[in-house]
Every structure is written in C-alpha cells, then in structure tokens.
Amino acid sequence: RKKFLSLYDGAVYKLGIMLGLIILAVLLISYSVFASIQSDQTRLEVATKKLKRLNKKLENVSYTDSLTSMHNRRYFNLVYERELKRAKRTHSHITFMMLDIDHFKQFNDHYGHQDGDTALKAVANTLKTTFNRPDDAVYRLGGEEFGVLFSANNEEGVEEISQKVLDNIEALDIKHEYSSVSNHLTISIGAGIIDSTNTQSADKLYVEVDSALYEAKDSGRNSYEILTI
C-alpha cells in the first residue's frame, strides 16, 4: 500500500508538473498569437490611415489643375449643385462666369509654350485675387478657359466685376503683339446670372454661358456679355 501510495504521489506530482508546463506553453502561445494579432492590427490601422491620405491626395489631384493649382471643371460640376441648393435655401442668385484669353493660340505660336504657361499662371493669380470672398470659386476649365462661380443678385453687380476683371488682366501688361485686339494680353467674358428656381444641370449651364462668351468674342473681344438664366 505504501509503495502504491508512493507511486500515486509521484504520478500526481509528474502530472502536475506536466499540466503546469502545458498551461505555461498554452499561455506563451496565446500571448504570442495575441501580440501578433495586435501587431497586425496596428500595422493594418497605420496602412489604412496611409491609404486614406493617399486617396485624399489622389482625389485632390483629380479635382485640381496642376499648372495653376485651381480646381478643374470636374470639381465645378460638384460645387455647382451644392451652390444651387444653397441659393434656393437663401432665395438668392449665383453667377457663373466663363473667361477666355483672346487669341491665345497666336500667343503660344509666337512666344512659345513656356511663356504661354507663365501667362496662364498670371491670369489665374489675377482671378484668384479679384474673386477673394469666401464663397467665390475660381476654376481652370481647360486650355486658356477659366470659370468663376460667385454670388451676385443683379446685373449691375456682375457688370461691375466683369469690367474689373478686364481691367485687371490688362493691368498685367503682358505683351501680345500678335493679337488683333490689343498689344497686350486681354480676355473675353460670358456670364450667366442663375435664378434660385433654376433646375438646369451644370452641363446645360455651361453651354448657355459659353454662348454668351462667344457673343463677347464676336463683338470684338476684350469685352463681356451677360445673360439671365
């Protein structure tokens, strides 16, 4: 009996040690797995944040003109819908203005594309400083064509700002000897005053204001045409 009890106690002791080692191994493995999961989760969170930042940068690039750092026409389509809704809420008007540099092809042909890019930047900066209210939004629509979306409740106000733009562009004093309009760079403007009840899409608005711009060009350029939509 004593021998049996001795063997039993020895077996229990060994079993206890074995179970202790197994439990310790399980704990070590669990800790290792948990630490790995935590590390993976941290790396995943860091990667997700980086991906969000990259997506934001890509989104900004897709909406921004690289030469002038202005927003492009794609972004205008988004902002127009938002501004139209705001105008409806406040029972106000918004104005969309399109601007085109006069005889810019001749400018590029004779002075070169590098000077052409310099002129585009100068025009862009002038528009940014002219339209500097918080709600003013200036765009490069493509090529030598720019756009502005701003608040204006009457034609007199739009005429005043249009003339100011013409004067500010001429004040740049950029030489353009190959223009039939002036010896210096000039611009033509078409503008549409949009009533808050208007439900036109951005594309339809673009077509209407573009027709006003061409009227300004047909009337001799370095001028503006305004219509109410």
Side-chain angles (χ1 to χ4, degrees), residues 66-115:
S66 58
L67 179 67
T68 62
S69 298
M70 285 180 164
H71 285 126
N72 55 24
R73 183 180 174 184
R74 183 184 175 195
Y75 192 73
F76 160 74
N77 289 346
L78 295 176
V79 172
Y80 168 68
E81 300 296 336
R82 184 187 69 196
E83 288 301 301
L84 190 59
K85 289 178 182 178
R86 183 183 63 80
K88 288 178 180 178
R89 287 196 307 269
T90 58
H91 304 289
S92 59
H93 297 70
I94 54 175
T95 297
F96 176 48
M97 180 182 287
M98 292 179 65
L99 313 95
D100 193 277
I101 300 176
D102 295 325
H103 300 299
F104 191 67
K105 183 180 183 302
Q106 289 86 336
F107 186 95
N108 267 337
D109 289 345
H110 290 92
Y111 296 107
H113 288 278
Q114 186 171 351
D115 283 354

Side-chain angles (χ1 to χ4, degrees), residues 9-21:
D9 289 341
V12 170
Y13 178 75
K14 290 179 181 179
L15 181 61
I17 293 176
M18 188 176 296
L19 287 174
L21 290 173

